[in-house]
């Protein structure tokens, strides 16, 4: 009987992230047949399918979600082991382990890391990108010192949350689209748009901001990679939803429009462990992160007024 392997679990995680075997293969530097083979071996080890195959990509089964959740724990433990081994070298300075979801890691966290490493060039910041759920678990288990996450449905024991910013969700359209230049639109005005989203399941996308609307979004393309989404939007093939903190990184071919709906926001929060001694530089990092969030919010407001 096949057994779970690190290579196989890494492949399953990549396929989950990108929603297709071909994109995962490109990202990993494997052939598509090699990815398919590894997934097949992991499905043999699990004794059931891990993915549902569709024309537009793949979606995790319930068994697949279970395997990926435990795989994240395996990789977290390996990362912790590598970090602990590195800490055996006493010549190094302090260490701050920072986790963040992908958009925050790209747009919000870098300035805060720059601030703390400027304060002490010997400080080693160890970044970790992941889903908010996996980062909160890692924080609760002592594998991270601080994490930037979206507001969870449930906060793990031993974790405190502070809201950094109520990040607006915006509609991204081509610069020559009929909605471009509008400061804000109602969900009803979006009814006839074609959408580019990370999943065909509306509940699993940022389109869920208006899940209570009486119409179902027309999702034409399902891609997980942000560059792919924006490329499709720029080509006039659909609209997508982007968080406000991503706006500074958008190309000039993309326009953004606000959504007049109370749920069209995504709270971004800072998570820290409770009941532990203060960790060096965490306070400075928190202050720098708050400054970065305020600056990004101001840039978003200016972009919407343009």
């Amino acid at each position: 009987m096949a057994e779970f392997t690190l290579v196989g679990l890494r492949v399953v995680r990549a396929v989950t992230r990108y929603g297709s075997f071909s994109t995962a293969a490109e990202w990993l530097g494997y052939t598509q047949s090699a990815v398919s083979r590894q997934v097949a071996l992991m499905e043999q080890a699990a004794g059931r399918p891990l993915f549902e195959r569709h024309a537009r990509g793949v979606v995790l089964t319930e068994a697949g979600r279970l395997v990926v959740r435990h795989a994240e724990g395996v990789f977290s433990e390996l990362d912790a082991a590598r970090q602990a081994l590195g800490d055996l070298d006493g010549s190094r300075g302090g260490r701050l382990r920072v986790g963040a979801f992908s958009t925050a890691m790209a747009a919000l966290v870098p300035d805060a890391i720059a601030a703390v490493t400027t304060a002490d060039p010997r400080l080693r910041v160890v970044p970790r990108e992941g889903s908010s759920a996996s980062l909160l678990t890692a924080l609760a288990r002592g594998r991270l010192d601080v994490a930037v996450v979206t507001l969870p449905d449930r906060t793990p024991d031993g974790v405190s949350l502070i809201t950094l910013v109520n990040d607006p969700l915006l509609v991204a359209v081509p610069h020559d689209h009929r909605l471009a230049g509008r400061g804000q639109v109602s969900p009803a005005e979006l009814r006839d748009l074609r959408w580019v989203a990370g999943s065909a399941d509306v509940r699993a996308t940022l389109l869920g901001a208006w899940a209570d609307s009486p119409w179902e979004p027309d999702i034409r393309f399902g891609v997980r990679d942000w560059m792919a989404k924006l490329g499709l939007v720029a080509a006039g093939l659909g609209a997508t939803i982007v968080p406000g903190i991503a706006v500074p990184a958008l190309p000039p071919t993309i326009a953004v429009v606000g959504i007049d709906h109370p749920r069209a926001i995504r709270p971004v929060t800072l998570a820290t462990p409770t009941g532990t001694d203060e960790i060096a530089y965490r306070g400075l990092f928190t202050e720098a992160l708050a400054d970065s969030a305020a600056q990004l919010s101001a840039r978003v407001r200016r972009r919407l007024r343009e």
Side-chain angles (χ1 to χ4, degrees):
M1 180 178 177
E3 296 184 353
F4 291 113
T5 65
L6 291 178
V7 172
L9 292 175
R10 188 171 287 111
V11 168
V12 168
R13 186 172 65 168
V15 172
T16 301
R17 175 177 295 176
Y18 293 104
S20 78
F21 285 19
S22 59
T23 305
E26 182 179 353
W27 183 79
L28 292 167
Y30 294 171
T31 63
Q32 186 168 339
S33 60
V35 167
S36 297
R37 174 61 178 164
Q38 288 297 327
V39 170
L41 288 172
M42 295 304 94
E43 290 183 325
Q44 289 178 26
R48 63 201 70 196
L50 301 181
F51 295 98
E52 296 177 359
R53 277 73 166 173
H54 302 286
R56 295 180 178 177
V58 297
V59 178
L60 282 171
T61 62
E62 183 177 356
R65 287 191 292 271
L66 180 67
V67 168
V68 169
R69 185 165 66 249
H70 284 283
E72 292 289 356
V74 170
F75 289 118
S76 292
E77 291 290 351
L78 289 174
D79 288 342
R82 293 189 188 98
Q83 293 166 13
L85 288 169
D87 290 342
L88 292 177
D89 181 0
S91 64
R92 293 184 177 182
R95 180 189 69 176
L96 185 67
R97 299 168 299 172
V98 177
F101 62 93
S102 59
T103 313
M105 186 63 78
L108 189 62
V109 172
D111 285 346
I113 292 178
V116 294
T117 53
T118 298
D120 185 352
R122 296 178 66 248
L123 174 68
R124 183 166 61 97
V125 176
V126 182
R128 171 180 168 182
E129 180 187 341
S131 68
S132 293
S134 67
L135 295 173
L136 286 170
T137 298
L139 186 71
R141 294 178 179 177
R143 298 172 188 150
L144 290 173
D145 300 316
V146 63
V148 181
V149 298
T150 56
L151 189 64
D153 294 329
R154 186 186 69 83
T155 305
D157 293 338
V159 172
S160 296
L161 297 177
I162 301 173
T163 299
L164 289 169
V165 59
N166 284 317
D167 197 31
L169 298 178
L170 310 171
V171 182
V173 294
H175 68 94
D176 57 354
H177 192 273
R178 61 178 174 82
L179 295 180
R182 296 277 302 276
Q184 198 172 58
V185 296
S186 68
E189 295 178 87
L190 306 175
R191 181 170 188 164
D192 297 328
L193 294 185
R194 296 171 298 179
W195 293 96
V196 179
S199 170
D201 181 1
V202 174
R203 294 168 298 178
T205 73
L206 296 180
L207 290 170
W210 52 86
D212 57 351
S213 294
W215 52 273
E216 188 79 5
D218 178 11
I219 300 177
R220 295 294 182 90
F221 298 95
V223 292
R224 293 185 180 275
D225 183 77
W226 275 106
M227 293 301 293
K229 287 181 184 178
L230 296 177
L232 292 168
V233 171
L237 297 174
T240 196
I241 299 297
V242 296
I245 61 174
V247 164
L250 296 181
T253 53
I254 301 292
V256 289
V257 185
I259 305 169
D260 185 13
H261 191 287
R263 289 172 57 191
I265 60 168
R266 183 175 65 167
V268 177
T269 61
L270 178 70
T272 57
T274 57
T276 60
D277 294 334
E278 178 59 29
I279 295 173
Y281 299 103
R282 189 165 60 192
L284 178 60
F285 179 83
T286 299
E287 293 176 8
L289 203 59
D291 289 342
S292 180
Q295 292 171 18
L296 278 172
S297 295
R299 294 174 70 179
V300 171
R301 290 193 294 270
R302 287 196 299 269
R303 180 73 176 261
L304 290 174
R305 288 196 297 265
E306 293 176 354

